[in-house]
Amino acid sequence: MRTTPAATIGAALLLSACGGGGSALPPTEDGVLRVVALDKQDFDADMYEAAAGEVSIEYVLDGFQSHTLTVEGLEDQLHLEVGKASVATATINLEPGRYMLYCDIAGHRASGMEARLLVS
Ligand SMILES: [Cu+2]
């Protein structure tokens, strides 16, 4: 039996592309912090990471309800809203530290729409 090299390489690439999974943190390979809002009133992760400085945030709605995204203590610097639009973006300047992201629509934070943001 012969295996064509092309098929073997293809399978290896596929494996490496999917490999390394299991990380709780969504990828930010393009330098954008992507947070997804889910209609079950949750974000797609409990913790996010970003590099200090100008942090580009992309807030994506996976559902139909309206949700907001803000940073505890920095509410006047970042307030994104999705609902009518499914994606909202902004940048915020963050020093290294730990922050809390949350949705400020009544009841949503208590239902689970909060997550830690680690900036380093
Ligand atoms: Cu919400």
Side-chain angles (χ1 to χ4, degrees):
M1 184 195 118
R2 285 187 300 165
T3 322
T4 66
T8 310
I9 292 167
L13 282 175
L14 207 64
L15 280 175
S16 62
C18 301
S23 166
L25 301 172
T28 55
E29 73 282 347
D30 51 2
V32 175
L33 171 60
R34 191 168 290 106
V35 179
V36 179
L38 308 171
D39 273 349
K40 61 177 180 174
Q41 297 186 9
D42 202 358
F43 297 127
D44 62 327
D46 293 325
M47 190 173 132
Y48 299 87
E49 280 183 336
E54 284 289 321
V55 179
S56 297
I57 300 181
E58 186 175 274
Y59 192 37
V60 180
L61 175 64
D62 181 8
F64 302 97
Q65 297 180 3
S66 290
H67 293 291
T68 66
L69 183 71
T70 189
V71 181
E72 190 173 76
L74 301 173
E75 285 84 354
D76 55 337
Q77 293 182 45
L78 181 88
H79 194 273
L80 292 172
E81 185 168 350
V82 289
K84 292 187 180 75
S86 58
V87 180
T89 58
T91 59
I92 183 172
N93 204 314
L94 293 175
E95 311 258 307
R98 292 167 177 273
Y99 300 84
M100 289 299 294
L101 301 171
Y102 69 98
C103 170
D104 70 356
I105 292 177
H108 286 204
R109 183 176 185 175
S111 298
M113 293 197 83
E114 69 173 4
R116 288 185 291 160
L117 171 60
L118 186 64
V119 176
S120 52

